[in-house]
Each structure stands twice: as structure tokens, then as C-alpha cells.
Amino acid sequence: IALLDVVVKPPLNRKTQRVTIYNVLPMYHSAGGVFGPCLLLSACRAGKPARMVIRQKFSASRFRLDLLEYNVDVLQYIGEVLRYAVAYE
């Protein structure tokens, strides 16, 4: 949980109503199914309401739009996700 505190504390210090976590990874993947929900638990432990936006399938064309639409605070990232999103832009 200490590592999660380092990752989640900056968004928790904002004045937003809740923390929004964006997860484009499959739930069977350890980063998508374990680390993502642990971010939610860490936010709740800090007394901040939180939600997770779960994308059924990664879409480079929707990536930036999703971040803006859902007002994302924390991005669940691994591997090539950002490279694909940046290449699309």
C-alpha cells in the first residue's frame, strides 16, 4: 500500500470531488485486475471518493477524448499504451 500512496496521493491532494482512475488493461492482467482496484482501495482508505473507468478495449483514437470526458486523475499504464496513443495524435 505504501507504493500506492506515492502514486495516488497527488490526485488526492487536489480539490476535486473524487478521484477518477482510467484503466484500459484487461482485468485478467495483473496490472488491470489487481493494481487498478488497489488504487481504488488506496483512495477510499484516504477518505476520497473514487471511481474507475474501465475500457473494454484500448482505443488510441478515444484515449485523449476519454481522459477529458471522464476528468481522469490517475492513468493505469503499462507497456505500449502511451506510445500508441501519442502515435495516433
Coordinates of all heavy atoms in Angstrom, one line a residue:
I1 N 0.8 -1.2 0.0 CA 0.0 0.0 0.0 C 0.9 1.3 0.0 O 0.5 2.3 -0.5 CB -1.0 0.0 1.2 CG1 -1.9 -1.2 1.1 CG2 -1.7 1.3 1.3 CD1 -3.0 -1.0 0.1
A2 N 2.1 1.2 0.5 CA 2.9 2.4 0.6 C 3.2 2.9 -0.8 O 3.2 4.1 -1.1 CB 4.2 2.1 1.3
L3 N 3.5 2.0 -1.8 CA 3.8 2.4 -3.1 C 2.5 3.1 -3.7 O 2.6 4.1 -4.4 CB 4.1 1.2 -4.0 CG 4.3 1.5 -5.5 CD1 5.4 2.5 -5.8 CD2 4.6 0.2 -6.3
L4 N 1.3 2.5 -3.4 CA 0.1 3.1 -3.9 C -0.1 4.5 -3.4 O -0.6 5.4 -4.0 CB -1.1 2.2 -3.6 CG -1.1 0.8 -4.3 CD1 -2.3 0.0 -3.8 CD2 -1.1 1.0 -5.8
D5 N 0.3 4.7 -2.2 CA 0.2 6.1 -1.6 C 1.0 7.1 -2.4 O 0.6 8.2 -2.5 CB 0.7 6.0 -0.1 CG -0.3 5.3 0.8 OD1 -1.5 5.2 0.4 OD2 0.1 5.0 1.9
V6 N 2.2 6.7 -2.8 CA 3.0 7.6 -3.6 C 2.3 7.9 -4.9 O 2.3 9.0 -5.4 CB 4.4 6.9 -3.9 CG1 5.2 7.8 -4.9 CG2 5.1 6.8 -2.6
V7 N 1.7 6.9 -5.5 CA 1.0 7.1 -6.8 C -0.3 7.9 -6.7 O -0.6 8.7 -7.5 CB 0.8 5.7 -7.5 CG1 0.0 5.9 -8.8 CG2 2.1 5.0 -7.8
V8 N -1.0 7.6 -5.7 CA -2.4 8.2 -5.6 C -2.4 9.5 -4.8 O -3.3 10.3 -5.0 CB -3.3 7.1 -4.9 CG1 -4.7 7.7 -4.7 CG2 -3.4 5.9 -5.8
K9 N -1.5 9.8 -3.9 CA -1.5 11.0 -3.1 C -1.6 12.3 -3.9 O -2.4 13.2 -3.5 CB -0.4 11.0 -2.1 CG -0.7 10.3 -0.9 CD 0.3 10.5 0.2 CE 0.0 9.7 1.4 NZ 1.0 9.7 2.4
P10 N -0.9 12.5 -5.0 CA -1.0 13.7 -5.7 C -2.4 14.0 -6.1 O -3.0 15.1 -5.9 CB -0.1 13.6 -6.9 CG 1.0 12.7 -6.4 CD 0.2 11.7 -5.5
P11 N -3.2 13.1 -6.8 CA -4.6 13.4 -7.1 C -5.4 13.5 -5.9 O -6.4 14.3 -5.9 CB -5.0 12.1 -7.9 CG -3.8 11.5 -8.4 CD -2.7 11.8 -7.4
L12 N -5.1 12.9 -4.8 CA -5.9 13.0 -3.6 C -5.8 14.4 -3.0 O -6.7 14.9 -2.2 CB -5.5 12.0 -2.5 CG -5.9 10.5 -2.9 CD1 -5.4 9.6 -1.8 CD2 -7.4 10.4 -3.1
N13 N -4.7 15.1 -3.2 CA -4.5 16.4 -2.7 C -5.2 17.5 -3.5 O -5.3 18.6 -3.0 CB -3.0 16.8 -2.7 CG -2.3 15.9 -1.6 OD1 -2.9 15.5 -0.7 ND2 -1.0 15.7 -1.9
R14 N -5.7 17.2 -4.7 CA -6.5 18.1 -5.5 C -7.8 18.4 -4.8 O -8.3 17.7 -4.0 CB -6.7 17.6 -6.9 CG -5.5 17.5 -7.7 CD -5.9 17.1 -9.1 NE -4.7 16.6 -9.8 CZ -4.8 15.9 -10.9 NH1 -5.9 15.6 -11.4 NH2 -3.7 15.6 -11.5
K15 N -8.4 19.5 -5.3 CA -9.7 19.9 -4.7 C -10.9 19.2 -5.5 O -12.0 19.6 -5.3 CB -9.9 21.4 -4.8 CG -8.8 22.1 -4.0 CD -9.0 21.9 -2.5 CE -8.0 22.7 -1.8 NZ -7.7 22.3 -0.5
T16 N -10.6 18.2 -6.3 CA -11.7 17.5 -7.0 C -12.6 16.8 -6.0 O -12.2 16.4 -4.9 CB -11.2 16.5 -8.0 OG1 -10.3 15.6 -7.4 CG2 -10.4 17.3 -9.1
Q17 N -13.9 16.5 -6.5 CA -14.8 15.8 -5.7 C -14.4 14.3 -5.5 O -14.6 13.8 -4.4 CB -16.2 15.9 -6.3 CG -16.8 17.3 -6.3 CD -17.0 17.8 -4.9 OE1 -17.4 17.0 -4.0 NE2 -16.8 19.0 -4.7
R18 N -13.9 13.7 -6.5 CA -13.5 12.3 -6.5 C -12.3 12.1 -7.4 O -12.0 12.8 -8.3 CB -14.7 11.4 -6.9 CG -15.0 11.6 -8.3 CD -16.1 10.6 -8.7 NE -16.7 11.1 -10.0 CZ -17.9 10.9 -10.4 NH1 -18.7 10.3 -9.6 NH2 -18.3 11.3 -11.5
V19 N -11.6 11.0 -7.1 CA -10.5 10.6 -7.9 C -11.0 9.6 -9.0 O -11.8 8.7 -8.7 CB -9.5 9.8 -7.1 CG1 -8.4 9.2 -8.0 CG2 -8.9 10.7 -6.0
T20 N -10.6 9.9 -10.3 CA -11.0 9.0 -11.4 C -9.8 8.3 -11.9 O -8.8 9.0 -12.3 CB -11.7 9.9 -12.5 OG1 -12.8 10.5 -11.9 CG2 -12.1 9.0 -13.6
I21 N -9.9 7.0 -11.9 CA -8.8 6.2 -12.4 C -9.2 5.6 -13.8 O -10.3 5.1 -13.9 CB -8.5 5.0 -11.4 CG1 -8.1 5.6 -10.1 CG2 -7.4 4.1 -11.9 CD1 -8.2 4.7 -8.9
Y22 N -8.3 5.7 -14.7 CA -8.6 5.2 -16.1 C -7.8 3.9 -16.3 O -6.6 3.9 -16.3 CB -8.2 6.2 -17.1 CG -8.6 6.0 -18.5 CD1 -9.9 6.0 -18.9 CD2 -7.6 5.7 -19.5 CE1 -10.3 5.7 -20.3 CE2 -8.0 5.4 -20.8 CZ -9.3 5.5 -21.2 OH -9.6 5.2 -22.5
N23 N -8.5 2.8 -16.6 CA -7.9 1.5 -16.8 C -8.3 0.9 -18.1 O -9.4 0.6 -18.4 CB -8.4 0.6 -15.7 CG -7.6 -0.8 -15.7 OD1 -6.8 -1.0 -16.5 ND2 -8.0 -1.6 -14.7
V24 N -7.3 0.8 -19.0 CA -7.5 0.2 -20.3 C -7.0 -1.2 -20.4 O -7.1 -1.8 -21.5 CB -6.9 1.1 -21.5 CG1 -7.5 2.4 -21.5 CG2 -5.4 1.2 -21.3
L25 N -6.5 -1.7 -19.3 CA -5.9 -3.1 -19.3 C -7.0 -4.1 -19.0 O -7.9 -3.9 -18.3 CB -4.8 -3.1 -18.3 CG -3.7 -2.1 -18.6 CD1 -2.7 -2.0 -17.4 CD2 -3.0 -2.4 -19.9
P26 N -6.8 -5.3 -19.6 CA -7.7 -6.4 -19.3 C -7.7 -6.8 -17.8 O -6.7 -6.7 -17.1 CB -7.3 -7.6 -20.1 CG -6.1 -7.1 -20.9 CD -5.7 -5.7 -20.5
M27 N -8.9 -7.1 -17.3 CA -9.0 -7.5 -15.9 C -8.3 -8.8 -15.5 O -7.9 -9.0 -14.4 CB -10.5 -7.5 -15.4 CG -11.2 -6.2 -15.6 SD -10.4 -4.8 -14.8 CE -11.0 -5.0 -13.1
Y28 N -8.0 -9.6 -16.5 CA -7.2 -10.8 -16.2 C -5.7 -10.5 -16.1 O -4.9 -11.4 -15.7 CB -7.5 -11.9 -17.3 CG -7.1 -11.5 -18.7 CD1 -5.8 -11.6 -19.1 CD2 -8.1 -11.1 -19.6 CE1 -5.5 -11.2 -20.4 CE2 -7.8 -10.8 -20.9 CZ -6.4 -10.8 -21.3 OH -6.1 -10.5 -22.6
H29 N -5.3 -9.3 -16.5 CA -3.9 -8.9 -16.4 C -3.7 -8.4 -15.0 O -4.5 -7.7 -14.4 CB -3.6 -7.8 -17.4 CG -2.2 -7.5 -17.6 ND1 -1.5 -6.8 -16.7 CD2 -1.3 -7.8 -18.6 CE1 -0.2 -6.6 -17.1 NE2 -0.1 -7.2 -18.3
S30 N -2.5 -8.8 -14.4 CA -2.3 -8.4 -13.0 C -2.3 -6.8 -12.8 O -2.8 -6.4 -11.8 CB -1.0 -8.9 -12.5 OG 0.1 -8.4 -13.3
A31 N -1.9 -6.1 -13.8 CA -1.9 -4.6 -13.7 C -3.3 -4.1 -13.8 O -3.7 -3.1 -13.1 CB -1.0 -4.0 -14.7
G32 N -4.1 -4.7 -14.6 CA -5.5 -4.2 -14.8 C -6.5 -4.8 -13.7 O -7.3 -4.0 -13.2
G33 N -6.3 -6.0 -13.3 CA -7.2 -6.6 -12.3 C -6.8 -6.5 -10.9 O -7.6 -6.8 -10.0
V34 N -5.5 -6.2 -10.6 CA -5.0 -6.1 -9.2 C -4.6 -4.7 -8.9 O -5.1 -4.1 -8.0 CB -3.9 -7.1 -9.0 CG1 -3.3 -7.0 -7.6 CG2 -4.3 -8.6 -9.2
F35 N -3.7 -4.2 -9.7 CA -3.1 -2.9 -9.3 C -4.2 -1.8 -9.5 O -4.3 -0.9 -8.6 CB -1.9 -2.5 -10.2 CG -1.2 -1.3 -9.8 CD1 -0.5 -1.2 -8.7 CD2 -1.3 -0.1 -10.6 CE1 0.2 -0.1 -8.3 CE2 -0.6 1.0 -10.2 CZ 0.1 1.0 -9.1
G36 N -5.0 -1.9 -10.5 CA -6.1 -0.9 -10.7 C -7.1 -0.8 -9.5 O -7.3 0.2 -9.0
P37 N -7.7 -2.0 -9.2 CA -8.6 -1.9 -8.0 C -7.9 -1.5 -6.7 O -8.5 -0.9 -5.8 CB -9.1 -3.4 -7.9 CG -9.0 -3.9 -9.3 CD -7.8 -3.2 -9.9
C38 N -6.6 -1.8 -6.6 CA -5.8 -1.4 -5.4 C -5.7 0.1 -5.3 O -5.7 0.7 -4.2 CB -4.4 -2.0 -5.3 SG -4.5 -3.8 -4.9
L39 N -5.7 0.8 -6.5 CA -5.7 2.2 -6.5 C -7.0 2.8 -5.9 O -7.0 3.7 -5.2 CB -5.5 2.8 -7.9 CG -4.1 2.6 -8.5 CD1 -4.2 3.0 -10.0 CD2 -3.1 3.4 -7.8
L40 N -8.1 2.1 -6.3 CA -9.4 2.5 -5.7 C -9.4 2.3 -4.2 O -9.9 3.2 -3.5 CB -10.5 1.6 -6.3 CG -11.0 1.9 -7.7 CD1 -12.0 0.9 -8.2 CD2 -11.6 3.3 -7.8
L41 N -8.9 1.2 -3.7 CA -8.8 1.0 -2.3 C -8.0 2.0 -1.6 O -8.3 2.5 -0.5 CB -8.3 -0.4 -2.0 CG -9.2 -1.6 -2.4 CD1 -8.6 -2.9 -2.2 CD2 -10.6 -1.5 -1.7
S42 N -6.9 2.4 -2.2 CA -6.0 3.3 -1.6 C -6.7 4.7 -1.5 O -6.6 5.4 -0.5 CB -4.7 3.5 -2.4 OG -3.8 4.4 -1.8
A43 N -7.4 5.1 -2.5 CA -8.1 6.3 -2.5 C -9.2 6.3 -1.4 O -9.4 7.3 -0.7 CB -8.8 6.6 -3.9
C44 N -10.0 5.2 -1.3 CA -11.0 5.1 -0.3 C -10.4 5.1 1.1 O -11.0 5.7 2.0 CB -11.8 3.8 -0.5 SG -12.8 3.8 -2.0
R45 N -9.3 4.5 1.2 CA -8.6 4.5 2.6 C -8.2 5.9 3.0 O -8.2 6.2 4.2 CB -7.4 3.6 2.5 CG -6.8 3.3 3.9 CD -5.5 2.6 3.8 NE -4.5 3.6 3.6 CZ -3.2 3.3 3.4 NH1 -2.8 2.1 3.4 NH2 -2.3 4.3 3.3
A46 N -8.0 6.7 2.0 CA -7.6 8.1 2.3 C -8.9 9.0 2.5 O -8.7 10.2 2.7 CB -6.7 8.7 1.1
G47 N -10.0 8.4 2.4 CA -11.3 9.1 2.6 C -11.7 9.9 1.4 O -12.6 10.8 1.5
K48 N -11.2 9.6 0.2 CA -11.6 10.3 -1.0 C -12.5 9.4 -1.9 O -12.1 8.2 -2.1 CB -10.3 10.6 -1.8 CG -10.5 11.6 -2.9 CD -10.6 13.0 -2.5 CE -10.5 13.9 -3.6 NZ -10.5 15.3 -3.2
P49 N -13.7 9.8 -2.3 CA -14.5 9.0 -3.2 C -13.7 8.7 -4.5 O -13.0 9.6 -5.0 CB -15.7 9.9 -3.5 CG -15.7 10.9 -2.5 CD -14.3 11.1 -2.0
A50 N -13.9 7.6 -5.0 CA -13.1 7.2 -6.2 C -14.0 6.4 -7.2 O -14.9 5.7 -6.7 CB -11.8 6.4 -5.9
R51 N -13.6 6.4 -8.4 CA -14.2 5.6 -9.4 C -13.2 5.1 -10.4 O -12.1 5.8 -10.6 CB -15.4 6.3 -10.2 CG -14.9 7.4 -11.1 CD -16.0 8.1 -11.8 NE -15.5 9.2 -12.6 CZ -16.2 9.8 -13.5 NH1 -17.4 9.5 -13.8 NH2 -15.6 10.8 -14.2
M52 N -13.5 4.0 -11.1 CA -12.6 3.5 -12.1 C -13.3 3.4 -13.4 O -14.4 2.8 -13.5 CB -12.0 2.2 -11.8 CG -11.0 1.7 -12.8 SD -10.4 0.0 -12.5 CE -9.4 0.4 -11.1
V53 N -12.8 4.1 -14.5 CA -13.3 4.0 -15.8 C -12.6 2.8 -16.4 O -11.4 2.8 -16.6 CB -13.1 5.3 -16.6 CG1 -13.5 5.1 -18.0 CG2 -13.7 6.4 -15.9
I54 N -13.3 1.8 -16.8 CA -12.7 0.6 -17.4 C -13.1 0.5 -18.9 O -14.3 0.5 -19.2 CB -13.3 -0.7 -16.7 CG1 -12.9 -0.6 -15.2 CG2 -12.7 -2.0 -17.3 CD1 -13.5 -1.8 -14.4
R55 N -12.1 0.5 -19.7 CA -12.3 0.5 -21.2 C -12.3 -1.0 -21.5 O -11.4 -1.8 -21.1 CB -11.1 1.1 -21.8 CG -11.2 1.9 -23.0 CD -12.3 2.8 -23.2 NE -12.2 3.4 -24.5 CZ -13.2 3.5 -25.4 NH1 -14.3 2.9 -25.1 NH2 -13.0 4.1 -26.5
Q56 N -13.3 -1.4 -22.3 CA -13.4 -2.8 -22.7 C -12.2 -3.2 -23.6 O -11.6 -4.3 -23.5 CB -14.7 -3.1 -23.5 CG -14.9 -4.6 -23.8 CD -16.2 -4.8 -24.4 OE1 -17.0 -3.9 -24.6 NE2 -16.5 -6.0 -24.7
K57 N -11.8 -2.3 -24.5 CA -10.6 -2.5 -25.4 C -9.9 -1.1 -25.5 O -10.6 -0.1 -25.7 CB -11.2 -3.0 -26.7 CG -10.1 -3.3 -27.7 CD -10.7 -3.8 -29.0 CE -9.7 -4.1 -30.0 NZ -10.2 -4.5 -31.3
F58 N -8.6 -1.2 -25.6 CA -7.8 0.1 -25.7 C -8.1 0.7 -27.1 O -8.1 0.0 -28.1 CB -6.3 -0.2 -25.6 CG -5.5 1.0 -25.9 CD1 -5.5 2.1 -25.0 CD2 -4.8 1.1 -27.1 CE1 -4.7 3.2 -25.3 CE2 -4.0 2.2 -27.4 CZ -4.0 3.3 -26.5
S59 N -8.3 2.0 -27.1 CA -8.5 2.7 -28.4 C -7.7 3.9 -28.4 O -7.9 4.9 -27.6 CB -10.0 3.1 -28.5 OG -10.2 4.0 -29.6
A60 N -6.7 3.9 -29.3 CA -5.8 5.1 -29.4 C -6.6 6.3 -29.8 O -6.3 7.5 -29.4 CB -4.7 4.8 -30.3
S61 N -7.6 6.1 -30.7 CA -8.4 7.3 -31.2 C -9.3 7.9 -30.1 O -9.6 9.0 -30.1 CB -9.2 6.8 -32.4 OG -10.2 5.9 -32.0
R62 N -9.7 7.1 -29.1 CA -10.5 7.6 -28.0 C -9.8 8.0 -26.7 O -10.3 8.5 -25.8 CB -11.6 6.5 -27.6 CG -12.7 6.3 -28.6 CD -13.7 7.4 -28.5 NE -14.1 7.7 -27.2 CZ -14.8 8.8 -26.9 NH1 -15.1 9.6 -27.8 NH2 -15.1 9.1 -25.6
F63 N -8.5 7.6 -26.7 CA -7.7 7.8 -25.5 C -7.8 9.2 -24.9 O -8.2 9.4 -23.8 CB -6.2 7.4 -25.8 CG -5.4 7.4 -24.5 CD1 -5.4 6.4 -23.6 CD2 -4.5 8.4 -24.3 CE1 -4.6 6.4 -22.5 CE2 -3.7 8.5 -23.2 CZ -3.7 7.5 -22.3
R64 N -7.4 10.2 -25.7 CA -7.4 11.6 -25.2 C -8.8 12.1 -24.9 O -9.0 12.7 -23.9 CB -6.7 12.5 -26.2 CG -6.5 13.9 -25.6 CD -5.7 14.8 -26.6 NE -6.2 14.9 -27.9 CZ -7.2 15.8 -28.2 NH1 -7.6 16.7 -27.3 NH2 -7.6 15.9 -29.4
L65 N -9.7 11.7 -25.7 CA -11.1 12.1 -25.5 C -11.7 11.5 -24.2 O -12.4 12.2 -23.5 CB -12.0 11.7 -26.7 CG -11.6 12.3 -28.0 CD1 -12.4 11.6 -29.2 CD2 -11.8 13.8 -28.0
D66 N -11.3 10.2 -23.9 CA -11.8 9.6 -22.7 C -11.2 10.3 -21.5 O -11.9 10.5 -20.5 CB -11.4 8.1 -22.6 CG -12.3 7.3 -23.5 OD1 -13.3 7.7 -23.9 OD2 -11.9 6.1 -23.7
L67 N -9.9 10.7 -21.5 CA -9.2 11.4 -20.4 C -10.0 12.7 -20.1 O -10.2 13.0 -18.9 CB -7.8 11.6 -20.7 CG -6.9 10.4 -20.9 CD1 -5.4 10.9 -21.2 CD2 -6.9 9.5 -19.7
L68 N -10.3 13.4 -21.1 CA -11.1 14.7 -20.9 C -12.5 14.4 -20.5 O -13.0 15.1 -19.6 CB -11.0 15.5 -22.2 CG -9.6 16.0 -22.7 CD1 -9.7 16.6 -24.1 CD2 -9.0 16.9 -21.7
E69 N -13.2 13.5 -21.1 CA -14.6 13.2 -20.9 C -14.8 12.8 -19.4 O -15.8 13.2 -18.8 CB -15.1 12.2 -21.8 CG -16.6 11.8 -21.6 CD -17.1 10.7 -22.5 OE1 -16.4 10.5 -23.5 OE2 -18.1 10.1 -22.2
Y70 N -13.9 11.9 -18.9 CA -14.1 11.4 -17.6 C -13.3 12.2 -16.5 O -13.3 11.8 -15.4 CB -13.7 9.9 -17.6 CG -14.7 9.1 -18.4 CD1 -14.2 8.5 -19.6 CD2 -16.0 8.9 -18.1 CE1 -15.0 7.8 -20.4 CE2 -16.8 8.1 -18.9 CZ -16.3 7.6 -20.0 OH -17.2 6.8 -20.8
N71 N -12.6 13.2 -16.9 CA -11.8 14.0 -16.0 C -10.9 13.1 -15.2 O -10.9 13.1 -13.9 CB -12.8 14.8 -15.1 CG -12.0 16.0 -14.4 OD1 -11.0 16.4 -14.9 ND2 -12.6 16.4 -13.3
V72 N -10.0 12.4 -15.9 CA -9.2 11.4 -15.3 C -8.0 12.0 -14.5 O -7.4 13.0 -14.9 CB -8.6 10.5 -16.4 CG1 -7.5 9.5 -15.8 CG2 -9.7 9.7 -17.1
D73 N -7.8 11.5 -13.3 CA -6.7 11.9 -12.4 C -5.6 10.9 -12.4 O -4.4 11.4 -12.3 CB -7.2 12.0 -10.9 CG -8.4 13.0 -10.8 OD1 -8.1 14.2 -11.1 OD2 -9.4 12.6 -10.3
V74 N -5.8 9.6 -12.5 CA -4.8 8.6 -12.5 C -5.0 7.7 -13.7 O -6.1 7.2 -14.0 CB -4.9 7.8 -11.2 CG1 -3.8 6.7 -11.2 CG2 -4.8 8.6 -10.0
L75 N -3.9 7.5 -14.4 CA -3.9 6.6 -15.6 C -3.3 5.3 -15.3 O -2.1 5.3 -14.8 CB -3.2 7.3 -16.7 CG -2.9 6.5 -18.0 CD1 -4.2 6.1 -18.7 CD2 -2.0 7.3 -18.9
Q76 N -4.0 4.2 -15.5 CA -3.4 2.9 -15.3 C -2.6 2.6 -16.6 O -3.2 2.5 -17.7 CB -4.6 1.9 -15.1 CG -4.1 0.4 -15.0 CD -3.2 0.1 -13.9 OE1 -2.8 1.0 -13.1 NE2 -2.9 -1.1 -13.8
Y77 N -1.3 2.5 -16.5 CA -0.5 2.4 -17.7 C 0.5 1.2 -17.6 O 1.1 1.0 -16.5 CB 0.3 3.7 -17.9 CG 1.5 3.6 -18.8 CD1 1.3 3.6 -20.1 CD2 2.8 3.5 -18.3 CE1 2.4 3.4 -21.0 CE2 3.9 3.4 -19.1 CZ 3.7 3.3 -20.5 OH 4.8 3.2 -21.3
I78 N 0.7 0.6 -18.7 CA 1.8 -0.4 -18.8 C 2.1 -0.6 -20.2 O 1.3 -0.5 -21.1 CB 1.4 -1.8 -18.1 CG1 2.6 -2.7 -18.0 CG2 0.2 -2.4 -18.9 CD1 2.3 -3.9 -17.2
G79 N 3.4 -0.9 -20.5 CA 3.8 -1.3 -21.9 C 3.6 -0.1 -22.9 O 4.1 1.0 -22.7
E80 N 3.0 -0.5 -24.0 CA 3.0 0.4 -25.2 C 1.8 1.3 -25.3 O 1.6 2.0 -26.3 CB 3.0 -0.5 -26.4 CG 4.2 -1.4 -26.5 CD 5.5 -0.7 -26.7 OE1 5.5 0.2 -27.6 OE2 6.4 -0.9 -26.0
V81 N 0.9 1.3 -24.3 CA -0.3 2.1 -24.3 C -0.1 3.6 -24.7 O -0.7 4.1 -25.6 CB -1.1 2.0 -23.0 CG1 -2.3 3.0 -23.0 CG2 -1.6 0.6 -22.8
L82 N 0.8 4.2 -24.0 CA 1.1 5.7 -24.3 C 1.7 5.9 -25.7 O 1.4 6.8 -26.4 CB 1.9 6.3 -23.2 CG 1.2 6.5 -21.9 CD1 2.1 7.2 -20.9 CD2 -0.1 7.3 -22.1
R83 N 2.6 4.9 -26.1 CA 3.2 5.1 -27.4 C 2.2 5.0 -28.5 O 2.2 5.8 -29.4 CB 4.3 4.0 -27.6 CG 5.1 4.1 -28.9 CD 6.2 3.1 -29.0 NE 5.7 1.8 -29.3 CZ 5.4 1.3 -30.5 NH1 5.6 2.1 -31.5 NH2 5.0 0.1 -30.7
Y84 N 1.2 4.1 -28.4 CA 0.1 4.0 -29.4 C -0.7 5.3 -29.4 O -1.1 5.8 -30.4 CB -0.7 2.8 -29.1 CG -0.1 1.5 -29.3 CD1 -0.2 0.5 -28.4 CD2 0.8 1.3 -30.4 CE1 0.4 -0.8 -28.6 CE2 1.4 0.1 -30.6 CZ 1.2 -1.0 -29.7 OH 1.8 -2.2 -29.8
A85 N -1.0 5.8 -28.2 CA -1.9 7.0 -28.1 C -1.2 8.2 -28.7 O -1.8 9.0 -29.4 CB -2.2 7.2 -26.6
V86 N 0.1 8.4 -28.4 CA 0.9 9.5 -28.9 C 1.1 9.4 -30.4 O 1.0 10.4 -31.1 CB 2.3 9.6 -28.2 CG1 3.2 10.6 -28.8 CG2 2.0 10.0 -26.7
A87 N 1.3 8.2 -30.9 CA 1.5 8.0 -32.3 C 0.2 8.3 -33.1 O 0.2 8.8 -34.2 CB 1.9 6.6 -32.6
Y88 N -0.9 8.1 -32.4 CA -2.2 8.4 -33.1 C -2.4 9.9 -33.2 O -2.9 10.4 -34.2 CB -3.4 7.8 -32.3 CG -4.7 8.1 -32.9 CD1 -5.2 7.4 -34.0 CD2 -5.5 9.2 -32.5 CE1 -6.4 7.7 -34.6 CE2 -6.7 9.5 -33.1 CZ -7.1 8.7 -34.2 OH -8.3 9.0 -34.8
E89 N -2.0 10.7 -32.2 CA -2.2 12.1 -32.2 C -1.3 12.7 -33.3 O -1.6 13.6 -33.9 CB -1.7 12.7 -30.9 CG -2.6 12.3 -29.7 CD -4.0 12.9 -29.8 OE1 -4.1 14.1 -30.2 OE2 -4.9 12.2 -29.4

